[in-house]
Amino acid sequence: MALTGVLRPGHVQMRVLDLEESIKFYGDVVGLVETGRDTQGRVYFKTWDERDHNSFIIRQAETAGLDFYAFKVDSKASLDKFDADLRAYGLKTERIAAGELLETGERVRFQIPTGHLIELYAEKTDVGNGLSYLNPEAWTAQAERGIAPIRMDHILLYGPDIEAAQKIFEEVLGFYLVEHVELEENKSDLAIWLSCSTKAHDLAFVRHPEPGKLHHVAFQLESWEKVLRAADIMAMNKVNIDIGPTRHGITRGTTIYAFDPSGNRIETFCGGYASYPDWQPIKWTMDEVGRGIFYHDRKLNDTFLTVVT
Amino acid sequence: MRTGPRKREAMAYFTVVIEGTGETYRSPEQRTVLEGMAALGRKEIPVGCRGGGCGVCKIEVLAGSYRKRVMSRAHVSEDDEAAHRVLACRVWPTSDLRLKVLGKMGKKVGAGDTAPASDGC
Ligand code: FES
């Protein structure tokens, strides 16, 4: 097996201000599949094509934003090893019992210097994507319901000291830098895009004075045409679009940023190139950051650096 | 069967006055104070997430009445709410309004870790 250690983003838990309104939004408009509710009142979703029980969890709270973001690792042995390595690195870790999150095994939780809670886990029940493991069809009716993304793909987090966070992901968890926007020459970055796979990003950070902030959770679509279809569905449902459809220079993904009913930003995107750990990172300079973020407009919009939850 | 002439649905508009600049706009009752402004291409109140989550559209209603929906407590405390310091994207006018803009669009590109928080509230 070539892909070992941290495999992929696994689940994200978000706070919403009005649960019923958010269930409608994520279920009917985004087209996620509801897979469960727990005694804490949390509602669990996955995309139609994901096989594990859940990837997107919401709970009602007094504030919007992110509770935690989790990566799936390849085995319980890796989970134990990462836990020990994180502690040896000097981070506090916490073990959360299997089953605390529905159909999910034991989790290792730790806080990174940007203020965010990150989790690792090795087990989540395979509930399938509705297609057979033997001679399957190509897609299901769920694949056309709402925006219907393929997977919960990555997250962009805002907080201070992104270099310290980068070091943990690179040195302990095996991520590598794919692209970055340099703030001060050879000294600091405004933003970094990290991968644990061959995706152009599994996780990204932007430097920001307040810790623990969420810029967006991204959902992957199959094609540019599906991104345009997503924009139509957003218009029909009066979803607040932040920007797009457009393209990012960084990662080359085609994209829409939009807001959920609590003001949490989501991205529905397609593309982005395949990257490899031996590749040299791509650098962007501050005078070209506009083109890097929004390739067509070639400038940042008012909300990119300031509107977060 | 004959039905009488259709009555036109009366759409109520209210006048919103922004303290300080003295700018005014007419906002329909079914739009939030923020949407009413943004629909006219105006920019007096910062426009962010439009869902009560980010806080950039914070205003203080100095006079007039409004309907409201749940807003993030990270940006509107109970005291704020009682004192009519609310989020423009979560309030709908039910009378003419006079308001003050409290929210700000925040920091410049590349502000460092030590820059003051971008939350203008
Ligand atoms: S625009 Fe974000 S709270 Fe109103």
Side-chain angles (χ1 to χ4, degrees):
Chain A
M1 183 165 63
L3 190 59
T4 57
V6 179
L7 298 178
R8 61 172 177 273
H11 62 243
V12 56
Q13 182 170 307
M14 308 272 293
R15 297 186 299 273
V16 299
L17 301 175
D18 179 328
L19 191 65
E20 283 312 312
E21 184 185 32
S22 303
I23 291 170
K24 281 206 190 82
F25 175 78
Y26 285 109
D28 299 343
V29 181
V30 181
L32 302 181
V33 181
E34 189 185 322
T35 55
R37 298 188 185 199
D38 69 17
T39 51
Q40 294 181 35
R42 295 182 292 190
V43 182
Y44 294 65
F45 296 93
K46 69 181 217 31
T47 69
W48 75 270
D49 203 21
E50 284 168 337
R51 300 171 182 199
D52 287 356
H53 179 270
N54 59 73
S55 63
F56 192 83
I57 302 140
I58 56 174
R59 73 173 175 103
Q60 182 158 313
E62 288 205 319
T63 60
L66 172 77
D67 278 340
F68 50 82
Y69 194 68
F71 295 92
K72 191 174 192 185
V73 303
D74 64 0
S75 64
K76 283 169 91 167
S78 289
L79 188 66
D80 290 339
K81 184 178 181 307
F82 284 130
D83 188 6
D85 292 350
L86 287 163
R87 278 186 278 118
Y89 188 86
L91 289 167
K92 274 205 212 83
T93 64
E94 179 193 351
R95 289 262 181 172
I96 299 161
E100 195 275 340
L101 208 56
L102 288 185
E103 304 294 331
T104 304
E106 194 180 18
R107 290 131 68 205
V108 171
R109 178 185 287 179
F110 55 100
Q111 189 171 35
I112 55 174
T114 51
H116 303 91
L117 291 178
I118 302 292
E119 295 182 350
L120 305 174
Y121 68 93
E123 297 173 317
K124 205 184 276 285
T125 307
D126 175 0
V127 297
N129 58 5
L131 299 170
S132 176
Y133 279 103
L134 181 69
N135 308 324
E137 299 301 340
W139 43 276
T140 66
Q142 291 282 2
E144 296 204 314
R145 203 181 130 260
I147 294 169
I150 298 165
R151 67 176 177 227
M152 191 278 288
D153 187 89
H154 65 265
I155 197 165
L156 172 53
L157 302 174
Y158 273 41
D161 208 357
I162 60 176
E163 285 82 7
Q166 177 180 355
K167 253 183 107 192
I168 294 164
F169 280 97
E170 286 181 348
E171 293 178 15
V172 186
L173 301 172
F175 285 58
Y176 62 97
L177 182 69
V178 181
E179 302 204 28
H180 62 128
V181 177
E182 195 179 63
L183 187 59
E184 301 161 284
E185 214 180 325
N186 298 320
K187 227 181 116 201
S188 64
D189 286 326
L190 173 70
I192 51 176
W193 284 260
L194 303 168
S195 179
C196 64
S197 62
T198 58
K199 286 154 62 186
H201 51 342
D202 287 296
L203 174 66
F205 291 98
V206 166
R207 180 183 303 282
H208 187 71
E210 289 168 282
K213 291 291 173 182
L214 169 72
H215 187 272
H216 71 263
V217 175
F219 294 99
Q220 188 202 27
L221 303 177
E222 245 166 30
S223 65
W224 175 224
E225 201 172 349
K226 290 264 166 85
V227 176
L228 299 177
R229 177 178 171 276
D232 290 342
I233 291 172
M234 288 177 190
M236 289 171 200
N237 289 283
K238 301 194 168 44
V239 173
N240 292 315
I241 293 178
D242 184 17
I243 192 165
T246 183
R247 181 195 282 279
H248 294 306
I250 295 164
T251 76
R252 308 200 302 236
T254 50
T255 179
I256 305 168
Y257 285 151
F259 295 106
D260 85 353
S262 311
N264 295 307
R265 196 188 275 96
I266 61 166
E267 177 179 35
T268 54
F269 86 105
C270 164
Y273 53 85
S275 73
Y276 297 92
D278 62 316
W279 282 11
Q280 190 181 138
I282 292 171
K283 176 163 97 179
W284 294 78
T285 52
M286 286 303 287
D287 56 327
E288 291 284 345
V289 66
R291 191 163 63 86
I293 303 294
F294 300 122
Y295 186 62
H296 300 154
D297 289 353
R298 281 164 277 143
K299 59 178 197 290
L300 296 181
N301 64 353
D302 287 346
T303 56
F304 184 78
L305 284 170
T306 53
V307 173
V308 288
T309 55
Chain B
M1 191 169 55
R2 240 186 95 110
T3 52
R6 257 243 184 89
K7 268 209 194 112
R8 264 190 68 177
E9 285 285 317
M11 183 149 70
Y13 279 88
F14 298 107
T15 300
V16 178
V17 182
I18 296 179
E19 183 88 345
T21 64
E23 300 279 346
T24 66
Y25 62 93
R26 264 163 41 95
S27 198
E29 62 183 340
Q30 76 275 24
R31 284 206 175 131
T32 65
V33 168
L34 192 70
E35 280 170 335
M37 177 207 74
L40 300 170
R42 305 277 292 264
K43 298 205 158 133
E44 289 85 355
I45 311 168
V47 179
C49 70
R50 288 161 278 174
C54 76
V56 301
C57 69
K58 196 167 181 179
I59 56 171
E60 181 176 347
V61 178
L62 304 170
S65 60
Y66 53 87
R67 282 188 298 123
K68 65 187 173 189
R69 285 204 54 209
V70 59
M71 304 170 228
S72 169
R73 279 278 176 253
H75 303 289
V76 178
S77 67
E78 278 169 40
D79 285 354
D80 277 342
E81 205 168 328
H84 308 292
R85 290 187 294 269
V86 291
L87 300 173
C89 67
R90 301 297 266 184
V91 298
W92 288 258
T94 55
S95 77
D96 290 349
L97 292 181
R98 204 154 56 81
L99 60 87
K100 194 161 95 189
V101 178
L102 302 178
K104 279 201 217 67
M105 214 38 172
K107 72 195 175 96
K108 294 223 168 58
V109 174
D113 291 348
T114 51
S118 65
D119 188 349
C121 314

